[in-house]
Amino acid sequence: MTTINDLILRTTTILIAFILFGFSIYLFLAGHSAPGGGFIGGLMASAAIVLMYMAYGYETVRKIIPVDFRFLIPIGLGIAVLSSIGSFLFGQPFLSQTFAYFHLPILGEKELATALLFDLGVFLTVIGVTMTIILSIADDR
Amino acid sequence: MLFAVFIPLLIACFIPYLSKFKDKIHTGIFVLFVPLAIFIYFLQFIGNNFAPFSHNYSWIPSLNISLDFYLDGLSLLFVLLISGIGTLVTLYSIFYLHKSERLGHFYVYLLMFMTAMLGVVLSDNVFVLYSFWELTSISSFLLIGYWHYRERSRYGALKSMLITVFGGLSMLGGFVLLTIITGSTSIQVMISQTDVILHSPYLPLIMALILLGAFTKSAQFPFHIWLPDAMEAPTPVSAYLHSATMVKAGIYLVARFSPIFTTYEWFFIIVSGIGIVTLVWGSYMAVRQTDLKGILAFSTISQLGMIMTMLGFGTKAAAFAAVFHILNHATFKGSLFMVAGIIDHETGSRDIRKLGGLMTFMPISATLALFGTFSMAGVPLPFLNGFYSKEMFFETSLHLNDATLLIAEIMRTGIPYLAVFGSIFTFVYSMYLFFGTFTGKNHIDELPKKPHEAPLGMLISPALLIIGVIIIGLIPNIVNESLLAHAAQAISGEEVHQHIAFWHGFKAPLFMSLIVVIVGSILYVLRNKWKNTYLLIPGKLSLNKAYNAILDGSEKYSRKITNSYMNGSIRRYIALIIVAILIVTFTTMFTTNGFTIKMDDLAEVTAAEILIAIVMVVAALGTVFARNNVAAILILGVVGYGLAVLFVFYRAPDLALTQLVVETITVALFLLCFYHLPNLRPRTESVKTKLVNATIAIGFGALMTMVAISAHSSKWFTTISDYFVENSHDLGGGDNIVNVILVDFRGIDTLFEIVVLGIAALAIYGMTKLRDDKGVE
């Protein structure tokens, strides 16, 4: 994969991957109030990772991101389920969400919702799923 | 009475333990006391002033099913037959079955059967009766297939099972109808509500269903075919089940329900009609048999037909004659089967062509057989019980109730002639059975064993039965008032007083009997001259052929039908599924007037939307007609992106984003997969298939369009989306309503969707990584 000289691709990837990561995190965080959310954020993040795989090859990226993406699936699902079960602690039905406004140091008055935790689970699962599928198939030669 | 019915089953639980000592003590000895005790228990009820009584035990009160046992004259007669002949058969089997056989199995089945049979005749509740009825079928199946390593045994067992269970199930249908009409599950209550049943529109159906059960069980024409094949069972079983008890269960059923149906003229037509046909056919066919037990099987069929005919007559005298013949038949037929078993046991052959001249070798058996066969033939001698009941049969056939229907009138005149005709053949096969076996030339050299007299123990049971034959023959009124009159009363519903006498004077029945004896003797002597008639008829008309054809045919055609649509092609299945959806949905929509089109709340259509729609339609058509698979995938992508653009137009940014990314990934994955696949084969289907597929596809598309339009045109309730719009900020804390619905209002859907994604990913991982693993295969 890396035999051809793809300097332009690699150089642009450095830029674009970070922009994509940033965009995916934006989508994830903004999802509650603007278009976006865990699902699309996760897809965008995996797009960034796929781009890195395409530019730098399997071995290199494994060194940069030493994560087995398969484990993101149970982690994501675990977060989603645990955040849902968490509502039992407060005597609420399964999957009850709540939110509150906090005064954060830099960002100022911000709203934080427990739904974000659930969305984090979605986000991680989606990354795990897409990366597992793509890497499994790509590896299958 | 509960104890009396279930004690054989209880004992059966211990038989496996007892049969371990079979080398020292024959298992049958333990069993022997069970029917004997029951026999003695029920013997006490015989008496002139016996009155019916019942015992009730709760079983399933909520369904109105309880173990109601009702003992009247009819039940008492059957119970005594079952337990009495059961005792004798057990005794006989002790000497008949060698210790090397699987005795435990045999006696467990036999005791199971005994409980079932006692339950059938004592139950007052129709559903309890049905349960016991099926238990008799099952235990009979097990007993016929006792020598399961023989192919004929398995064939016979299966045949009897299929036919009797077919009848049993239809009988259950009749019982259910009766229960619905009368509102009760008790037979006695049903009898008391005879008027209700007789005025029910379902009366013919009920009668047909119940009679079907009775006819299959009692081997009536044309369901008699299982009985000759059931002769593969051990002889004690044939003697017990297939002559004295189980085959009379159908007789019992008809007798039990005859108070209800007897005034209904079709009851006479069907029961007597089938009965007389069975009588004639059975006796005619019996002469043709070469196997001793085959002769006896057809003889049983014909005798059962005779009893059935009498039950159909519906007169008091006929009811009495029927119960009298039930008793007589059980005595002489049981003994004849046992004698046939002895001959088989001591000579190794049952083929009457090989036997002959055994009288000098087996004098006792020959004497027993002489009484048995002559009683069966109805030879007019004052010490043979068969003559009395045959004479009564002739007598009653001459004094039938007046008929209104033409067919009943024809039968009224025809039955006496048919009765005589059938009895002539009965005489012929009885003579053949006796003289063919015990007189004439002997062929000792051809027999597998050298014949000699049976051990004493084996002779006790048939001897006792023959003593019964003679006692009833000498003193025919011995059990008349004390037992038979009560039984006849239970059938006809009124008090019966009938005197049995040998001499009636010079009247019609006597002349009929004399005709039977004279013509029968002539036919027997000349039988070699007319034997060829058998070659003409049965070969083509054989009902066994019909049975085999039905069995093979149903197997063949069901396989054909299954293969015709289960051809393994997924295309075919999908076509069938879609056609089914089309038909069902279209019919439902059409019959409920579901198709509506309203134009009033439609939005404006913009030029851009039309443009995108056109692009998507063209792309979709392109996908269908594309020859190259990569092209097809890419054009399919156009449809997906078009959809994303449409989402943008319809102000669904989240959907648009997701659709865009998902479409990209799908197209990429498709390309990846199809890269490795061979190119699409040019379709080689015929024009006809293509047309059919096109029709189905267009039809389905049109249907879905119509459903969508109709769904849009008929909104019955306001949508709940207003709630989400109003509350997503206040309750969910977010302004992106879609996202708040996904993670908050309806988070559980999302939870399981990500689970689905996770499973899919792991499945793909497993499929790609683990397929070379030898352990998985």
Side-chain angles (χ1 to χ4, degrees):
Chain A
M1 204 180 237
T2 49
T3 48
I4 37 169
N5 187 359
D6 42 8
L7 187 66
I8 299 175
L9 177 64
R10 289 186 172 194
T11 317
T12 45
T13 298
I14 296 171
L15 279 172
I16 292 172
F18 276 98
I19 293 171
L20 278 177
F21 269 126
F23 186 53
S24 83
I25 289 165
Y26 162 75
L27 280 173
F28 164 63
L29 288 174
H32 219 45
S33 307
F39 195 82
I40 192 69
L43 283 177
M44 205 55 83
S46 30
I49 301 169
V50 169
L51 186 63
M52 286 164 71
Y53 269 104
M54 283 162 72
Y56 290 97
Y58 190 79
E59 291 303 322
T60 323
V61 180
R62 277 228 56 128
K63 268 182 221 155
I64 303 167
I65 314 173
V67 178
D68 193 338
F69 292 103
R70 265 186 300 148
F71 291 109
L72 285 182
I73 300 171
I75 291 169
L77 287 175
I79 291 174
V81 171
L82 284 177
S83 75
S84 317
I85 291 173
S87 58
F88 287 145
L89 293 178
F90 304 96
Q92 295 293 317
F94 186 68
L95 251 173
S96 305
Q97 308 287 13
T98 184
F99 63 95
Y101 292 93
F102 292 98
H103 192 77
L104 295 173
I106 306 165
L107 301 165
E109 183 81 4
K110 274 291 161 193
E111 176 237 354
L112 283 181
T114 51
L116 197 67
L117 271 177
F118 185 77
D119 235 6
L120 180 67
V122 178
F123 181 78
L124 292 177
T125 312
V126 169
I127 296 178
V129 166
T130 27
M131 291 317 297
T132 309
I133 293 175
I134 289 170
L135 290 182
S136 303
I137 294 175
D139 206 25
D140 183 45
R141 290 287 150 83
Chain B
M1 230 185 304
L2 181 77
F3 203 56
V5 170
F6 283 103
I7 200 163
L9 210 55
L10 273 175
I11 300 292
C13 298
F14 296 102
I15 291 298
Y17 303 104
L18 294 173
S19 71
K20 283 187 182 155
F21 313 112
K22 71 176 178 184
D23 291 328
K24 286 180 202 136
I25 309 169
H26 196 285
T27 317
I29 292 170
F30 299 109
V31 178
L32 187 60
F33 298 101
V34 179
L36 189 63
I38 298 171
F39 183 70
I40 291 167
Y41 170 72
F42 280 105
L43 218 48
Q44 60 169 316
F45 296 112
I46 296 184
N48 288 356
N49 39 18
F50 167 76
F53 65 96
S54 69
H55 287 172
N56 303 321
Y57 307 92
S58 190
W59 185 21
I60 317 173
S62 59
L63 292 177
N64 212 355
I65 297 174
S66 49
L67 294 170
D68 295 341
F69 294 119
Y70 179 78
L71 188 77
D72 63 357
L74 185 64
S75 308
L76 186 61
L77 173 68
F78 273 94
V79 165
L80 289 173
L81 280 181
I82 294 160
S83 52
I85 296 187
T87 315
L88 296 177
V89 161
T90 316
L91 180 67
Y92 178 75
S93 70
I94 293 173
F95 296 94
Y96 185 85
L97 288 175
H98 194 256
K99 282 172 182 170
S100 59
E101 302 268 8
R102 295 163 304 129
L103 293 177
H105 292 67
F106 182 80
Y107 287 108
V108 166
Y109 302 155
L110 198 73
L111 288 170
M112 206 163 102
F113 171 79
M114 218 177 273
T115 285
M117 205 58 217
L118 290 171
V120 164
V121 297
L122 286 172
S123 296
D124 186 43
N125 190 300
V126 283
F127 295 111
V128 177
L129 192 153
Y130 171 73
S131 311
F132 284 120
W133 185 276
E134 291 298 24
L135 193 59
T136 63
S137 296
I138 293 166
S139 48
S140 161
F141 169 78
L142 292 169
L143 283 167
I144 296 171
Y146 178 65
W147 287 317
H148 55 81
Y149 40 83
R150 293 185 188 168
E151 201 271 330
R152 293 294 304 170
S153 292
R154 297 196 301 269
Y155 173 78
L158 182 67
K159 194 176 192 177
S160 77
M161 181 79 158
L162 286 176
I163 292 175
T164 53
V165 168
F166 159 74
L169 285 174
S170 67
M171 188 184 82
L172 177 64
F175 285 168
V176 170
L177 278 175
L178 270 182
T179 309
I180 293 169
I181 289 168
T182 59
S184 165
T185 52
S186 158
I187 296 172
Q188 293 308 315
V189 176
M190 286 171 184
I191 290 173
S192 70
Q193 295 194 13
T194 300
D195 288 342
V196 181
I197 299 168
L198 285 179
H199 290 106
S200 158
Y202 295 110
L203 175 65
L205 188 62
I206 294 172
M207 203 182 74
L209 289 174
I210 291 182
L211 287 183
L212 208 54
F215 288 166
T216 50
K217 199 72 158 182
S218 280
Q220 299 294 299
F221 189 88
F223 306 110
H224 65 271
I225 49 172
W226 66 266
L227 191 62
D229 283 303
M231 290 302 130
E232 294 302 321
T235 302
V237 173
S238 309
Y240 189 34
L241 274 69
H242 306 127
S243 73
T245 54
M246 189 183 86
V247 285
K248 293 211 177 91
I251 302 278
Y252 169 80
L253 193 75
V254 173
R256 178 54 82 204
F257 280 94
S258 68
I260 296 177
F261 297 119
T262 190
T263 51
Y264 183 49
E265 206 153 352
W266 281 101
F267 179 75
F268 162 66
I269 294 170
I270 294 174
V271 174
S272 291
I274 297 281
I276 198 85
V277 168
T278 314
L279 164 63
V280 172
W281 183 252
S283 61
Y284 177 67
M285 290 300 288
V287 185
R288 185 171 174 251
Q289 306 300 313
T290 52
D291 180 24
L292 285 184
K293 281 172 84 177
I295 298 174
L296 290 172
F298 274 102
S299 149
T300 303
I301 291 167
S302 121
Q303 302 279 328
L304 291 171
M306 176 172 149
I307 301 171
M308 205 58 106
T309 314
M310 288 192 272
L311 287 173
F313 290 166
T315 55
K316 276 198 314 187
F320 185 84
V323 291
F324 190 36
H325 196 68
I326 289 171
L327 179 65
N328 293 344
H329 177 247
T331 53
F332 64 69
K333 191 52 67 63
S335 64
L336 282 176
F337 264 109
M338 291 176 189
V339 169
I342 289 172
I343 294 169
D344 185 16
H345 207 260
E346 304 307 335
T347 65
S349 173
R350 289 198 319 240
D351 193 332
I352 198 160
R353 289 167 300 188
K354 290 185 191 164
L355 300 168
L358 290 176
M359 192 156 355
T360 46
F361 297 98
M362 308 169 84
I364 305 176
S365 307
T367 317
L368 297 176
L370 179 74
F371 283 106
T373 47
F374 276 53
S375 178
M376 180 160 76
V379 175
L381 291 170
F383 52 88
L384 295 173
N385 59 6
F387 170 68
Y388 294 95
S389 44
K390 183 142 290 181
E391 189 95 328
M392 286 173 113
F393 173 51
F394 290 148
E395 170 90 35
T396 51
S397 73
L398 293 169
H399 297 97
L400 294 180
N401 288 331
D402 286 332
T404 50
L405 290 170
L406 180 66
I407 183 164
E409 189 56 45
I410 294 170
M411 281 174 59
R412 236 168 75 84
T413 39
I415 280 181
Y417 295 101
L418 286 172
V420 171
F421 181 76
S423 299
I424 289 172
F425 282 100
T426 308
F427 188 86
V428 174
Y429 73 69
S430 302
M431 294 306 116
Y432 183 46
L433 189 63
F434 178 73
F435 291 110
T437 315
F438 291 103
T439 62
K441 255 199 329 204
N442 59 43
H443 320 269
I444 291 171
D445 308 332
E446 296 167 33
L447 292 171
K449 292 182 191 170
K450 190 173 164 12
H452 56 83
E453 189 55 88
L456 185 65
M458 222 169 180
L459 290 166
I460 294 175
S461 300
L464 282 173
L465 283 171
I466 291 298
I467 289 171
V469 167
I470 296 169
I471 288 178
I472 299 173
L474 289 172
I475 339 168
N477 289 306
I478 181 169
V479 285
N480 180 350
E481 283 294 314
S482 54
L483 179 65
L484 297 177
H486 297 299
Q489 188 184 344
I491 298 175
S492 62
E494 42 198 317
E495 273 195 44
V496 180
H497 294 288
Q498 185 89 15
H499 188 72
I500 313 168
F502 177 70
W503 185 249
H504 287 284
F506 289 106
K507 284 188 186 157
L510 182 70
F511 294 120
M512 288 160 88
S513 289
L514 288 177
I515 291 172
V516 168
V517 174
I518 293 164
V519 179
S521 307
I522 294 169
L523 277 182
Y524 172 69
V525 173
L526 300 176
R527 71 183 185 284
N528 288 330
K529 308 250 176 191
W530 54 273
K531 260 200 164 157
N532 292 336
T533 55
Y534 285 107
L535 300 175
L536 296 174
I537 314 164
K540 281 173 196 161
L541 282 176
S542 168
L543 287 157
N544 283 316
K545 257 190 184 168
Y547 165 83
N548 288 335
I550 289 170
L551 215 61
D552 294 345
S554 59
E555 200 182 308
K556 200 174 94 189
Y557 285 107
S558 55
R559 182 183 296 137
K560 250 187 192 170
I561 290 168
T562 312
N563 286 346
S564 71
Y565 67 94
M566 299 278 280
N567 63 351
S569 152
I570 291 185
R571 285 189 185 185
R572 166 75 68 86
Y573 300 159
I574 290 176
L576 287 177
I577 290 168
I578 290 180
V579 166
I581 295 174
L582 252 175
I583 291 169
V584 171
T585 318
F586 187 83
T587 321
T588 316
M589 295 288 278
F590 195 75
T591 49
T592 56
N593 264 332
F595 293 120
T596 47
I597 298 176
K598 269 192 233 158
M599 307 288 275
D600 47 359
D601 67 338
L602 295 181
E604 295 258 327
V605 183
T606 62
E609 284 166 11
I610 293 174
L611 191 69
I612 295 163
I614 289 171
V615 169
M616 285 171 73
V617 167
V618 170
L621 284 173
T623 314
V624 174
F625 290 106
R627 294 268 163 200
N628 181 298
N629 47 19
V630 176
I633 294 161
L634 290 176
I635 304 171
L636 195 62
V638 174
V639 181
Y641 289 127
L643 189 63
V645 177
L646 274 185
F647 281 143
V648 173
F649 275 108
Y650 296 138
R651 282 169 291 168
D654 290 273
L655 286 183
L657 271 172
T658 315
Q659 171 68 24
L660 211 61
V661 180
V662 168
E663 186 64 36
T664 312
I665 292 177
T666 331
V667 169
L669 287 178
F670 264 137
L671 284 175
L672 203 62
C673 296
F674 278 77
Y675 180 78
H676 299 286
L677 287 181
N679 219 347
L680 275 183
R681 268 181 297 131
R683 306 233 175 98
T684 49
E685 291 149 340
S686 63
V687 184
K688 200 178 144 200
T689 328
K690 275 186 183 170
L691 273 178
V692 169
N693 285 347
T695 317
I696 294 173
I698 292 169
F700 193 65
L703 178 78
M704 283 300 127
T705 314
M706 275 151 80
V707 169
I709 292 173
S710 309
H712 183 79
S713 304
S714 50
K715 277 180 188 152
W716 290 2
F717 305 102
T718 52
T719 59
I720 56 165
S721 51
D722 290 340
Y723 172 83
F724 293 128
V725 173
E726 281 161 23
N727 292 305
S728 86
H729 186 86
D730 299 335
L731 294 178
D735 295 317
N736 181 349
I737 300 165
V738 176
N739 190 267
V740 172
I741 291 173
L742 284 180
V743 299
D744 194 340
F745 289 129
R746 300 226 173 118
I748 200 147
D749 295 352
T750 315
L751 184 61
F752 285 110
E753 274 154 23
I754 57 177
V755 172
V756 168
L757 283 179
I759 291 169
L762 293 177
I764 288 172
Y765 181 82
M767 271 162 55
T768 54
K769 302 281 176 188
L770 302 179
R771 68 174 168 202
D772 295 330
D773 194 341
K774 293 274 183 331
V776 175
E777 308 246 347

